[in-house]
Amino acid sequence: MEMGNGNGEAAQSQPLAQAQVQPQPLAKALVQPQPQPQVQVLQPLAQAQVQPQSHVLVFPFPVQGHMNPMVQFAKRLVSKGLKVTVVTTISAMHQFQSAPAERLRCFGFDVKLISDGSEYVHRPESIDESTKRFKRVTTETLGGLIATIKNRSKKKKNGTSSTPGSDRDHDDASSTQYPELKFLVYHSGMPWALDIARQHGIDGAPFFTNSSSVTAIYEHYRQGALKIPSQNDRSTTTVSLPSMPPLAFTDLPSFLRDFDSYPGYLELSLTQYTNIRQPKWIFICTFDKLEEEVVKWMRSQEWPVRTIGPTIPSMFLDKRLEDDKAYSLSLFKPNVETCTKWLDSRETGSVVYASFGSMNKLKKEQIEELAWGLRDMNYYFMWAARESEMEKLPANFLEETSEKGLVVSWCPQLQVLAHKAVRCFVTHCGWNSVLEALSLGVPMVTMPHWADQITNAKFVADVWKVGVRVKTNVKGIATKEEIAMCIEQIMDEKKGMEMRRASLRWKELAKKAVDQGGSSDKNIEEFVAKIV
């Protein structure tokens, strides 16, 4: 499990408890993409005429960058006739904007809250402490929820009903539906959830929210195929692994690359594999063509892998879910009107968009270099910089760049990337951000910081050929000259042609994967057919 997944990763190590109660924001939609003709539309379950016969629980890790891919997967399951209940924690739900439970119910979901014990924690916890507490409490509360739902289904089947007022969860629009509970889809970082499911008579499967490549790298390490070199040799070591291009040791996820700095996070990441051969299904947030060789290797290891991505709202891909125009969970409210008006006033392909997620903590020196790099290039820019980053901006920067740039505290990233004015994405390379850029055909300048971002950046630049990675100096800082040069490689009409072409190819393959008959669509159809 990569704690920094999505487009809201942390730039440095944090206790797990902090991540749990501070979900990461993910961009909301700005304007609806232009619809395309002759699209098979899948209606949300709430509008379907046939009541579902099977019920699935989806239990994401309660951090926004991990929740959004699983919620998007849940929308696909609903559209194919399943009843879905999204399970999240009390503390996580309190962080989101504008009643997310109501928005999820528009797609036919139930939303159930359970405790992970974090609402009772009033002091910093170590990773080990928070992990043990999370597992201990959710083992009880998730098990209790499964038992309650199964009991409700049994009573309905037998023609009986609960005593009025006896069920605290009996408060949703779908409470009159009691299809049989058959399955639990859980975040891969909670492998014990499979035991909970099977103890209560249902099956379960993990959902990996990072790339197949990162997933495989950890498994190679666990099997002993990947050795950690001595400190002196790490900068010069090349790693050769099955199904992957040659990787510098410095291209590995930071929990392995900086082996001595993240022992707790490495141990947490490796827990995903403790029972990896037990599930009958393994879902991964990618698509077959993107990581074809890695997926083949996984299947050669008898992993029952099913790719089900990209997991971004349907109206940006196949457009078969008409109401799926945005992620359903968000911490911050983006300034939609300001961003829309500003982008609409720019010419096609004239804007550089920069964002480093919700929790990356760039050094003041790096913020300054990025600011001057954006100022000195010959293009417009939009920069989503949190308030903590704005405090580090150089004096007079906003005034000096007011004619060519817009700096906002948060923006609707999907719609920004989909806008015709945007040609380049300067990104930290969280997996959600990478999938969004690939799906929308936007080349990337990568400035990774930690976790899986480093490995993602390697694949963006050298495998998928859709971006360029900035080089850092001996202090680990990307200079303004380096940043401006990398942006120029993408923005220039001739220099960036091949990357733009590659981006458009991946955009088409991403759409094809989730469209009717595509690899991801067929994988989801197969799963639904097995449990109905």
Side-chain angles (χ1 to χ4, degrees), residues 413-480:
Q413 181 160 290
L414 275 170
Q415 276 300 96
V416 170
L417 291 174
H419 199 283
K420 63 181 178 61
V422 174
R423 175 173 283 187
C424 173
F425 181 20
V426 183
T427 174
H428 60 311
C429 268
W431 186 236
N432 288 333
S433 287
V434 169
L435 282 180
E436 289 170 4
L438 287 167
S439 299
L440 296 170
V442 182
M444 290 166 267
V445 170
T446 70
M447 293 179 60
H449 293 276
W450 86 315
D452 62 336
Q453 299 166 15
I454 297 98
T455 309
N456 296 340
K458 166 68 176 179
F459 278 76
V460 165
D462 297 335
V463 179
W464 304 318
K465 307 291 186 182
V466 292
V468 58
R469 181 174 174 178
V470 299
K471 295 179 175 63
T472 57
N473 60 23
V474 293
K475 297 169 62 178
I477 300 296
T479 65
K480 61 182 182 181

Side-chain angles (χ1 to χ4, degrees), residues 14-126:
Q14 301 182 47
L16 181 59
Q18 293 180 5
Q20 290 168 348
V21 298
Q22 296 178 5
Q24 305 171 34
L26 205 56
K28 292 167 61 179
L30 207 115
V31 294
Q32 181 175 338
Q34 292 298 314
Q36 296 180 353
Q38 299 181 342
V39 175
Q40 181 197 30
V41 176
L42 301 177
Q43 295 296 330
L45 182 58
Q47 300 175 15
Q49 298 299 315
V50 180
Q51 296 298 335
Q53 299 302 308
S54 298
H55 187 179
V56 173
L57 298 183
V58 175
F59 186 24
F61 192 79
V63 175
Q64 185 156 22
H66 294 278
M67 293 181 76
N68 279 286
M70 295 187 69
V71 170
Q72 288 303 126
F73 176 56
K75 291 177 182 178
R76 295 281 176 174
L77 296 181
V78 170
S79 74
K80 294 183 183 296
L82 295 181
K83 176 177 173 61
V84 175
T85 294
V86 174
V87 181
T88 190
T89 63
I90 297 168
S91 55
M93 187 58 76
H94 287 166
Q95 302 296 315
F96 293 113
Q97 291 277 337
S98 62
E102 295 304 319
R103 281 179 288 149
L104 289 177
R105 284 171 185 151
C106 291
F107 288 93
F109 294 165
D110 283 353
V111 179
K112 299 299 182 187
L113 305 183
I114 64 173
S115 174
D116 63 0
S118 60
E119 63 268 34
Y120 304 111
V121 176
H122 303 294
R123 62 173 181 81
E125 292 180 303
S126 67

Side-chain angles (χ1 to χ4, degrees), residues 120-379:
Y120 304 111
V121 176
H122 303 294
R123 62 173 181 81
E125 292 180 303
S126 67
I127 297 173
D128 184 60
E129 287 176 330
S130 56
T131 300
K132 288 180 178 178
R133 182 257 306 153
F134 186 90
K135 178 180 179 180
R136 182 183 68 254
V137 177
T138 57
T139 295
E140 179 179 349
T141 56
L142 178 61
L145 176 63
I146 293 173
T148 297
I149 293 174
K150 290 198 70 178
N151 184 55
R152 182 183 298 176
S153 300
K154 184 183 299 184
K155 288 182 177 180
K156 178 67 175 181
K157 186 176 181 180
N158 294 335
T160 61
S161 60
S162 303
T163 303
S166 64
D167 190 345
R168 293 175 58 191
D169 292 326
H170 202 84
D171 60 353
D172 57 75
S174 302
S175 61
T176 58
Q177 302 174 20
Y178 294 86
E180 182 180 357
L181 181 61
K182 294 185 178 180
F183 211 88
L184 169 67
V185 180
Y186 56 90
H187 189 279
S188 59
M190 303 182 286
W192 63 84
L194 179 62
D195 296 331
I196 299 172
R198 289 179 173 174
Q199 287 166 9
H200 288 83
I202 65 174
D203 207 354
F207 187 110
F208 284 82
T209 56
N210 44 245
S211 72
S212 297
S213 300
V214 168
T215 302
I217 286 171
Y218 281 118
E219 176 63 4
H220 287 310
Y221 171 76
R222 196 176 72 94
Q223 291 182 357
L226 172 58
K227 306 291 186 181
I228 304 298
S230 65
Q231 185 71 48
N232 293 335
D233 295 334
R234 292 179 187 177
S235 61
T236 58
T237 297
T238 298
V239 177
S240 179
L241 297 172
S243 76
M244 293 198 187
L247 300 172
F249 188 78
T250 51
D251 291 327
L252 298 180
S254 59
F255 304 157
L256 289 169
R257 186 193 65 177
D258 300 327
F259 183 78
D260 306 305
S261 302
Y262 301 105
Y265 282 103
L266 177 58
E267 182 179 354
L268 185 61
S269 295
L270 295 176
T271 62
Q272 299 173 105
Y273 307 93
T274 54
N275 59 357
I276 197 64
R277 299 192 183 278
Q278 294 182 23
K280 299 173 183 176
W281 305 81
I282 296 174
F283 301 113
I284 299 188
C285 180
T286 187
F287 56 102
D288 275 4
K289 290 296 183 182
L290 185 64
E291 300 183 276
E292 195 166 17
E293 294 303 315
V294 181
V295 172
K296 285 181 180 177
W297 176 84
M298 289 178 163
R299 290 170 179 160
S300 75
Q301 302 298 298
E302 299 184 348
W303 286 21
V305 170
R306 301 294 188 278
T307 57
I308 48 75
T311 48
I312 72 171
S314 174
M315 291 307 290
F316 293 90
L317 286 169
D318 58 321
K319 297 178 172 58
R320 292 194 293 159
L321 298 178
E322 290 185 319
D323 294 333
D324 190 19
K325 304 170 186 176
Y327 295 111
S328 299
L329 302 170
S330 183
L331 260 180
F332 301 124
K333 185 176 181 180
N335 195 330
V336 175
E337 184 177 354
T338 298
C339 295
T340 305
K341 184 177 180 180
W342 190 88
L343 285 172
D344 286 346
S345 68
R346 309 301 166 196
E347 296 178 355
T348 299
S350 65
V351 174
V352 175
Y353 168 60
S355 176
F356 299 90
S358 66
M359 295 183 71
N360 269 316
K361 297 179 181 179
L362 301 183
K363 297 178 181 178
K364 187 176 189 297
E365 183 179 354
Q366 183 62 84
I367 291 286
E368 291 174 345
E369 291 292 328
L370 176 59
W372 298 138
L374 293 173
R375 180 199 63 179
D376 295 344
M377 67 179 188
N378 296 317
Y379 308 100

